[in-house]
RNA sequence: GCCGUUGUGGCGGAACAGGCAGACGCAAGGGACUUAAAAUCCCUCGGUGGAGACACCGUAUCGGUUCGAGCCCGAUCAACGGCACCA
């Protein structure tokens, strides 16, 4: 009798073997096939890992362990994305240096991850806050700066009054701060941007060749937001002066329906004509009000259109030659298109609302709608009317014809635009990478020389943010004051730091050669590890982190640092783990599950098994205390098979099918059904009352990626060997299907009986067996028989 | 508003490529073992009717295609996610 399953001692034993002997350490071995599996490295928060991390990592962990048994050299690294606000806020609150807090948190994470038994390459761990790491983050930034891809520009920025930090658009969605929930204000700041828009088209078309989940591709494409249209110049006159006002439109076909033009409140034309605008006071007042409106109000709450007629300006439709009025209205945004639009109220809902409110004419140019009631937004079909030479054309042809015509007479050009904006690349906080640029009164912005990198964060007593939205670094005068690297005169350093997304935009490259001090990535190491073969992470990072890192990698490809434009061959995403109440886990709801507790009670193998068995890997799933117990029972049943090993019994469990199903399901992120398949097999052994040693070895190999501690111990008991040195089970195709199969008999589509026939039985034989099993068939008039070998027989009869 | 995803027992979820709906697990009920409980092992477990063999109904709703539909087509409803005065 083998002793009872004791996860505590078993897990301790195998973890000290794995980590003590550095079993998972890898080196580049040209000639050996490689697999690079990546999970999103965690932000080391004070709370430690939570079950969401466990779900995200355990999927790839299964693949990594399986790949090793399949003979791959596996890179499966871990690291820490440690710059950022929560640490800084916590450090301020507890009056410790963020460095201390970060080190403590990383140590805690590291211990927890070891306790789960992950086969990470812990010795390659990176930390984005390590100067040896951020030296290269800064280096990449400098390469962009030198090529004009990083620039400073005055803009309205989203400012969080509580965190005292400028937020990227994606951090202030819904008009509230992502981190603290405060309402965001608009502020003018001179901030750094990265020209990600220059890569918009490549980021979009690059998706075609990638093995990303469809929903991920769709989300990225939406985020990039490509639209095709035209830029058209509407000359605007004010007294004797003329301003070539350019509008962007996706519907040049509707230009005969333009009855007015609208500019954004920030549009420069208004300043230019300040003297000539008859009601400038009124216009200026409107501009002021628009500025004060928070982004959220302007976009979401203020559905009622507002605006002001700009008196004294007249625009000319370049196609019809007609004069039309100019309005300023905040439904036109300065940062999309050209900040000016041609309004076609008959065929655009917003223009329609505006025209109704201001009593402006509405000219129908596409037939098919009822413009008395609403705008008719016809994207295809419909014939052009009231449109001169376009009359009678389909919309699609009219667009092409009009663009061609505009280009010919020189009033417009075809133009592609993107919703994606340039990446606001700055933080006015302490705990981030210093931007390595010096401001010289004579030379302007000058790059810090590469040999001076890393530009270290100075030590600071008080790193609390300043009220005026400048970085706390601005208070460190002996750091700020420096010499211009170009001319040697006194100059000042940039005091902004980089945003959280910087360090994570290239970390997958650093893992390949974490200690390399001559390059971002050692070329030899890159040559071997190359692209990430499979990257798993959360849906919430699909539009920011994944796009940003694709952009950085593409840039590094352009400057010859890496050999592939795309960093990730395959990307999948796990679903959220919800609380037992079905709600998102949160401290305030009190429904947070701590993985440490599960390990303490049932062991890491049970935790790993349950997190995979909980449901469809890609969908959200609620935690279940009883479900954990079910997995505990399952592992015990597997363990107890040790006492049932006998060389008797038959083929009632089809091992070939089990190997096939489990292997394929793992590869498809279907861990729940893979485990279910193993459970079914084990139930089969129990009802047989015995298991062959060979069968048991196969089962524990298949279960090893999920529950590696227990299966390592079992393998050692059975054979004296180490399971990770064995090969992944294989099967013979011919063993998959039994010679005799049970198939259903349907009569008129309804199940009536079941018959057992040879897998290749002919129709006549099957029909005879069906008649045998369902006697009434003999009295019936058989009209038709549908027989699918090994599947079904359906008899149509009266 | 636009784009996308999903809807199956008391619960989490299975179902190849249109071929036995509900695998597997949980919960529940029953039995064995035990002085007893826990643990373990075995059995039952979509609904209605029936003692039973069995019959009928059943995958959000309505309709269609098909020998056969959870799966395909059309319409509707609901939930979730993303984008959003994007011109």
């Amino acid at each position: 009798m083998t002793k009872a399953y004791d996860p505590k001692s078993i897990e301790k034993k195998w973890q000290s073997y794995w980590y003590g002997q550095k079993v998972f350490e890898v080196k580049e071995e040209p000639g050996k096939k490689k697999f690079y599996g990546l999970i999103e490295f965690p932000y080391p928060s004070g709370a430690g890992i939570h079950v969401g991390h466990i779900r995200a990592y355990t999927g790839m962990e299964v693949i990594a362990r399986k790949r090793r048994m399949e003979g791959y050299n596996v890179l499966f690294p871990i690291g820490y994305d440690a710059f950022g606000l929560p640490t800084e806020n916590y450090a301020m609150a507890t009056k410790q240096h963020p460095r201390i807090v970060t080190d403590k948190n990383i140590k805690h994470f590291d211990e927890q991850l070891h306790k789960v038994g992950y086969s990470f390459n812990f010795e390659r761990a990176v930390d984005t806050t390590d100067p040896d790491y951020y030296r290269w983050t800064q280096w990449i930034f400098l390469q962009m700066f030198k090529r004009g891809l990083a620039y400073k520009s005055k803009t309205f920025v989203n400012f969080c009054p509580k965190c005292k930090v400028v937020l990227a658009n994606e951090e202030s969605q819904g008009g509230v701060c992502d981190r603290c929930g405060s309402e965001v204000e608009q502020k003018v700041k001179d901030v750094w941007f990265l020209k990600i828009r220059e890569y918009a088209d490549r980021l979009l078309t690059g998706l075609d060749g990638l093995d990303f989940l469809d929903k991920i591709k769709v989300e990225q494409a939406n985020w990039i937001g490509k639209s095709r249209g035209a830029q058209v110049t509407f000359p605007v006159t004010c007294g004797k002066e003329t301003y070539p006002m350019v509008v962007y439109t996706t519907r040049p076909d509707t230009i005969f329906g333009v009855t007015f033009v609208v500019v954004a409140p920030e549009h420069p034309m208004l300043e230019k004509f300040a003297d000539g605008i008859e009601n400038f006071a009124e216009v200026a007042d409107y501009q002021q009000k628009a500025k004060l409106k928070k982004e959220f109000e302007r976009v979401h709450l203020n559905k009622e259109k507002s605006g002001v007629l700009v008196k004294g300006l007249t625009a000319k439709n370049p196609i019809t030659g007609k004069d039309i009025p100019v309005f300023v209205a905040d439904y036109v945004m300065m940062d999309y298109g050209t900040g000016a639009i041609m309004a076609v109220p008959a065929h655009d809902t917003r223009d329609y609302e505006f025209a109704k409110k201001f009593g402006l004419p509405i000219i129908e140019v596409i037939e098919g709608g009822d413009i008395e009631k609403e705008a008719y937004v016809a994207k295809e079909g419909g014939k052009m009317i009231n449109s001169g030479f376009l009359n009678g054309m389909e919309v699609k042809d009219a667009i092409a014809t009009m663009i061609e015509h505009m280009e010919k007479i020189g009033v417009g050009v075809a133009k592609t635009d993107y919703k994606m904006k340039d990446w606001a690349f700055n933080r006015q906080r302490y705990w981030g990478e210093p931007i390595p640029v010096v401001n010289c009164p004579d030379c302007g912005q000058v790059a810090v020389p590469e040999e001076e990198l890393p530009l270290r964060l100075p030590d600071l007593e008080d790193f609390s943010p300043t009220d005026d939205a400048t970085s706390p670094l601005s208070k460190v005068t002996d750091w700020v004051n420096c010499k211009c690297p170009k001319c040697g005169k006194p100059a000042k350093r940039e005091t902004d730091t980089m945003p959280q997304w910087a360090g994570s935009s290239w970390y997958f490259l650093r893992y390949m050669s974490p200690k390399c001090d001559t390059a971002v990535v050692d070329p030899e190491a890159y040559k071997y590890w190359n692209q990430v073969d499979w990257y798993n992470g959360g849906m919430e990072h699909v539009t920011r982190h994944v796009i940003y890192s694709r952009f950085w990698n593409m840039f590094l490809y352009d400057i010859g640092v890496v050999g592939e434009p795309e960093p990730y061959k395959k990307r999948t995403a796990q679903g959220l783990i919800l609380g037992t109440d079905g709600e998102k886990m949160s401290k305030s709801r009190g429904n947070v599950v701590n993985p440490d507790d599960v390990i303490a009670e049932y062991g890491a193998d049970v935790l790993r098994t349950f997190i995979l068995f909980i449901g469809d890997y890609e969908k959200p799933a609620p935690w279940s205390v009883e479900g954990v117990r079910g997995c505990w029972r399952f592992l015990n049943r597997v363990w107890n098979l040790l006492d049932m090993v006998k060389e008797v019994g038959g083929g009632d469990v089809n091992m070939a099918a089990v190997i096939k199903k489990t292997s394929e399901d793992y590869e498809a992120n279907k861990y729940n059904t893979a485990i279910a398949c193993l459970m079914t097999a084990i139930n089969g052994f129990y009802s047989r009352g015995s298991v062959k040693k060979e069968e048991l070895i196969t089962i524990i190999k298949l279960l090893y990626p999920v529950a590696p501690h227990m299966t390592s111990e079992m393998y050692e008991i059975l054979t004296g060997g180490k399971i990770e040195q064995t090969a992944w089970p294989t099967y013979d195709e011919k063993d998959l299907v039994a010679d005799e199969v049970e198939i259903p008999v349907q009569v008129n589509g309804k199940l009536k009986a079941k018959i057992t026939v040879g897998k290749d039985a002919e129709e006549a034989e099957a029909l005879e067996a069906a008649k045998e099993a369902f006697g009434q068939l003999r009295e019936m008039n058989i009209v038709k028989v549908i027989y699918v070998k090994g599947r079904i027989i359906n008899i149509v009869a009266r």
Side-chain angles (χ1 to χ4, degrees), chain A residues 194-260:
Chain A
L194 297 185
K195 285 190 183 169
I196 192 172
R197 279 174 64 92
E198 284 199 1
Y199 282 73
D201 205 52
R202 289 168 68 193
L203 289 167
L204 184 65
T205 52
L207 288 172
D208 286 344
L210 300 176
D211 182 14
F212 285 14
L213 289 180
D214 255 356
K215 60 178 175 180
I216 295 177
K217 288 191 184 184
V218 168
E219 241 177 67
Q220 293 205 354
N222 280 344
W223 179 265
I224 295 166
K226 182 174 183 168
S227 72
R228 276 172 242 271
Q231 278 190 353
V232 189
T233 305
F234 280 63
V236 174
T237 51
C238 176
K240 284 188 183 122
E241 276 193 273
T242 299
Y243 179 93
M245 190 190 76
V246 180
V247 305
Y248 177 68
T249 178
T250 54
R251 298 298 301 274
D253 55 313
T254 60
I255 197 162
F256 285 90
V258 174
T259 54
F260 54 100

Side-chain angles (χ1 to χ4, degrees), chain A residues 81 95 148 225 246 313 426 445 458 485 518 584 617 631 640-641 652 693 698 750 776:
Chain A
D81 187 15
K95 303 215 181 305
V246 180
L313 302 191
N426 61 94
Q445 294 165 343
T518 52
K584 204 170 165 175
Y617 189 68
C631 289
N640 292 332
L641 283 173
D652 46 352
K693 189 171 170 182
T698 301
K750 293 207 173 191
Q776 288 169 53

Side-chain angles (χ1 to χ4, degrees), chain A residues 549-560:
Chain A
S549 55
R550 287 182 60 217
F551 161 49
W552 277 39
N553 190 84
M554 238 172 237
F555 169 74
L556 291 172
Y557 170 77
D558 290 348
I559 64 170

Side-chain angles (χ1 to χ4, degrees), chain A residues 511-553:
Chain A
Y511 285 140
M512 298 178 191
S513 53
K515 303 276 189 291
C516 179
D517 60 1
T518 52
V520 164
V521 54
D522 174 70
E524 285 305 306
Y526 182 81
K527 215 164 131 190
Y528 183 69
W529 296 113
N530 201 255
Q531 287 165 296
V532 172
D533 292 287
W534 189 343
Y535 189 14
N536 184 69
M539 279 308 287
E540 71 275 17
H541 289 131
V542 157
T543 44
R544 305 130 141 110
H545 160 65
V546 177
I547 289 194
Y548 291 157
S549 55
R550 287 182 60 217
F551 161 49
W552 277 39
N553 190 84

Side-chain angles (χ1 to χ4, degrees), chain A residues 25-41:
Chain A
E25 202 166 312
V26 275
K27 286 198 292 277
E28 294 74 57
E29 288 181 60
K32 189 174 178 187
K33 54 188 177 178
K34 66 95 189 183
F35 175 80
Y36 184 178
L38 184 67
I39 48 93
E40 284 168 350
F41 63 165

